[in-house]
Amino acid sequence: MRYEYAVIGGDERQGYLAEFLAGSHRVIACGLCRVPESVPEEVSLERAIRQADCILAPVPLTSDGTTLYALKKTEETKAMTIGAMFQELTPSHRVYAGGIPREWMLLARRRQLHLTDYMKIEEIAWRNAVSTAEGTLAEAIGRCPDHIEGSRCLILGFGRCGMAIARLFARLGAKITVCARRRDVLCQGEMYGYEMRQIRDMEEVLSCQDLIINTIPARVLGREQLEKISPQTEILDIAGQGGGTDFAEASRLGRSAVLCPGLPGKYSPRASARILADWLENEQNAIK
């Protein structure tokens, strides 16, 4: 049988995504942590890809740069590498994933593969930012010994996720400071009532924060910055590509820092899957 979608790996949202799509499409699953009863399962990544037209890979695509991200840990999922997936892909496939590393996007272009990063789609990214903000709040409540209300919260970066996080935490009474680079973004944050600072001036406010949330996928919290942060400060890094914190240095200095990838899939997998399913339906209708 030929399938329209192969849903591969990932977290809980992939199971919901397969379930939503199976209502009106032929779907096969591979490496899911929860396989819907209505969806057949294939243990081989290669066979799953060969049988499907659209490949729905994980969000994020990978957490280690080599294997496809899969919450379910088995011998089969450990063998699901990005390289193995690419060996099976042809220009007739349409492939979708999130947080795709640059080198794999470049390889896809050279091979004329149709590879789409969900997180580059404005509609998905903005809607997903709400789930990310709520997941960040859940992590903060679970890790911070004090109330969010009245806490001093520093947010690094003011893109979609930074904006959503600032808005949610401010509603709960947190005192928000944001560090960003662009002047228009700084002006925008000031209009919302946040204390805005240039990222280059970040070190001036590091020592007085209860919570630091990084959304920038580049090294912004290295040894020099971490030394200025209080051991009582909680650092949540939600940025992709391994975050922007030197976690080894944070551990050496006794700073509490944690990488929090895939928050939508962890805290609101069904809502996040619905966002992807709705967009995919519209995308396929547009292609037809």
Side-chain angles (χ1 to χ4, degrees), residues 9-11 31 58 68-73 77 80:
D11 50 34
L68 296 176
Y69 174 64
L71 193 60
K72 179 182 180 181
K73 302 300 181 185
T77 60
M80 294 193 324

Side-chain angles (χ1 to χ4, degrees), residues 75-175:
E75 290 304 314
E76 288 79 14
T77 60
K78 290 176 183 178
M80 294 193 324
T81 65
I82 308 175
M85 181 179 78
F86 266 69
Q87 284 182 356
E88 297 298 329
L89 295 177
T90 69
S92 65
H93 284 111
R94 304 196 75 86
V95 189
Y96 303 89
I100 304 171
R102 183 172 180 272
E103 61 267 26
W104 294 105
M105 289 297 298
L106 293 174
L107 177 59
R109 289 173 191 166
R110 288 197 298 270
R111 291 185 50 192
Q112 297 183 316
L113 300 176
H114 299 284
L115 178 60
T116 300
D117 191 328
Y118 292 126
M119 297 302 104
K120 303 296 184 184
I121 307 299
E122 286 291 310
E123 174 188 344
I124 294 175
W126 278 110
R127 293 178 68 187
N128 214 46
V130 175
S131 297
T132 299
E134 291 184 359
T136 303
L137 176 61
E139 289 285 340
I141 290 173
R143 296 177 183 278
C144 295
D146 297 308
H147 292 146
I148 299 300
E149 182 180 13
S151 67
R152 296 161 296 182
C153 179
L154 174 63
I155 300 171
L156 305 180
F158 202 56
R160 304 177 194 91
C161 290
M163 289 181 186
I165 291 167
R167 182 168 174 263
L168 180 58
F169 277 66
R171 282 182 170 182
L172 293 176
K175 300 173 183 177

Side-chain angles (χ1 to χ4, degrees), residues 103-245:
E103 61 267 26
W104 294 105
M105 289 297 298
L106 293 174
L107 177 59
R109 289 173 191 166
R110 288 197 298 270
R111 291 185 50 192
Q112 297 183 316
L113 300 176
H114 299 284
L115 178 60
T116 300
D117 191 328
Y118 292 126
M119 297 302 104
K120 303 296 184 184
I121 307 299
E122 286 291 310
E123 174 188 344
I124 294 175
W126 278 110
R127 293 178 68 187
N128 214 46
V130 175
S131 297
T132 299
E134 291 184 359
T136 303
L137 176 61
E139 289 285 340
I141 290 173
R143 296 177 183 278
C144 295
D146 297 308
H147 292 146
I148 299 300
E149 182 180 13
S151 67
R152 296 161 296 182
C153 179
L154 174 63
I155 300 171
L156 305 180
F158 202 56
R160 304 177 194 91
C161 290
M163 289 181 186
I165 291 167
R167 182 168 174 263
L168 180 58
F169 277 66
R171 282 182 170 182
L172 293 176
K175 300 173 183 177
I176 304 296
T177 301
V178 178
C179 289
R181 289 186 174 86
R182 288 167 39 195
R183 290 179 59 84
D184 61 324
V185 169
L186 295 172
C187 292
Q188 185 177 9
E190 288 174 354
M191 289 176 60
Y192 294 138
Y194 311 137
E195 178 184 353
M196 303 295 292
R197 289 176 174 265
Q198 283 279 354
I199 196 75
R200 63 172 178 265
D201 299 325
M202 170 181 61
E203 295 181 19
E204 298 175 6
V205 294
L206 287 175
S207 64
C208 61
Q209 304 300 322
D210 298 304
L211 176 64
I212 297 174
I213 301 170
N214 177 55
T215 71
I216 302 172
R219 181 56 54 85
V220 289
L221 293 177
R223 181 180 60 82
E224 186 177 346
Q225 292 76 31
L226 289 165
E227 286 179 339
K228 293 179 170 63
I229 296 173
S230 166
Q232 281 71 51
T233 300
E234 292 291 332
I235 303 170
L236 302 182
D237 198 321
I238 69 165
Q241 302 176 35
T245 303

Side-chain angles (χ1 to χ4, degrees), residues 42-62:
E42 171 58 69
V43 297
S44 166
L45 171 67
E46 291 79 7
R47 287 197 297 269
I49 292 174
R50 291 171 198 159
Q51 295 179 75
D53 299 320
C54 292
I55 311 303
L56 306 183
V59 182
L61 177 66
T62 179

